Amino acid sequence: TPSTGPPKTTDNNANRTEYYVTLTVAIVIGLVGVFIRFIPDVIPALDQMTFIFSLIANILMVVATIISFKVVFEILGFGKNKS
């Protein structure tokens, strides 16, 4: 027989919208870093600046990785905001 009690609620903190918005921003930052890395390959006039483009791309990838790990650990409950 089906139960007639109140429906179960699962508030596990993982469904908050700001987590997914932040993860989307981190993914976009990472993709921008990947595309910046290959700009000198597409535009031969910028071939002398390969190191600068790689440096910017690597910095963006590190920033995206840090943001992503921070959000994932907050979703898992290891973050500072334990409410």
Side-chain angles (χ1 to χ4, degrees):
T1 64
S3 65
T4 57
K8 290 183 181 179
T9 60
T10 56
D11 187 21
N12 58 5
N13 197 31
N15 296 328
R16 291 175 36 194
T17 305
E18 61 263 19
Y19 288 148
Y20 296 101
V21 171
T22 308
L23 280 175
T24 304
V25 169
I27 291 169
V28 169
I29 291 171
L31 286 173
V32 168
V34 169
F35 285 117
I36 286 176
R37 159 61 187 90
F38 292 106
I39 288 176
D41 294 340
V42 176
I43 303 173
L46 298 174
D47 202 25
Q48 299 273 333
M49 302 176 72
T50 303
F51 174 76
I52 299 295
F53 282 97
S54 291
L55 180 68
I56 293 169
N58 289 337
I59 289 171
L60 288 176
M61 290 297 292
V62 168
V63 168
T65 303
I66 290 171
I67 292 171
S68 298
F69 276 118
K70 181 178 177 266
V71 171
V72 168
F73 286 137
E74 283 182 15
I75 290 172
L76 292 175
F78 299 119
K80 296 176 185 175
N81 299 337
K82 289 187 177 183
S83 51

